[in-house]
Amino acid sequence: MLVEFTGISRMLTGKMEHQLPLADGAVMMDVVRAIGRKFPPLIGEVIEKDGETLIPTNLFSINGKQILNEKQLHYQPKDGDRLILLSLLAGG
């Protein structure tokens, strides 16, 4: 599974993308856990401190076509999907 980092997640990981090995039947929560373990600076900034869920201002886009928010972490990505991690931050 290819995870693309944008915005703050790109700054924190120092990567544009990461190929993430996932087991059959994995869901988005497994993706969040795996990238949190691989890139600990994401914890508390993009991923909640529990390491299991996204902070509400962050979400995934599936192939740039479908948006999943922090409450849809039971979605099962398909082989070949590109998961784009987006941060929705507002300035003043």
Side-chain angles (χ1 to χ4, degrees), residues 1 3 6 13 25 38 40 46 50 57 60-61 63 67 76 78 86 90:
M1 190 71 43
V3 178
T6 65
T13 63
K38 178 71 179 171
V46 174
D50 66 6
T57 56
F60 279 102
S61 170
N63 301 316
I67 298 292
Q76 187 174 1
K78 296 166 187 56
L86 304 168

Side-chain angles (χ1 to χ4, degrees), residues 20-38:
L20 188 67
L22 289 177
D24 288 341
V27 296
M28 294 303 294
M29 188 176 288
D30 298 315
V31 172
V32 172
R33 284 184 197 125
I35 63 173
R37 283 191 304 269
K38 178 71 179 171

Side-chain angles (χ1 to χ4, degrees), residues 37-50:
R37 283 191 304 269
K38 178 71 179 171
F39 302 103
L42 293 174
I43 304 294
E45 297 291 334
V46 174
I47 299 171
E48 294 283 4
K49 292 185 182 196
D50 66 6

Side-chain angles (χ1 to χ4, degrees), residues 57 87-92:
T57 56
S87 294
L88 306 174
L89 300 175

Side-chain angles (χ1 to χ4, degrees), residues 73-84:
L73 293 178
H74 294 289
Y75 173 83
Q76 187 174 1
K78 296 166 187 56
D79 191 36
D81 277 348
R82 183 178 190 90
L83 309 176
I84 305 165

Side-chain angles (χ1 to χ4, degrees), residues 2 4-5 14-15 34 36 40 47 63-64 66 72 84 87-88 90-91:
L2 187 66
E4 180 181 332
F5 299 110
K15 303 239 180 227
I47 299 171
N63 301 316
Q66 180 180 357
Q72 295 173 299
I84 305 165
S87 294
L88 306 174

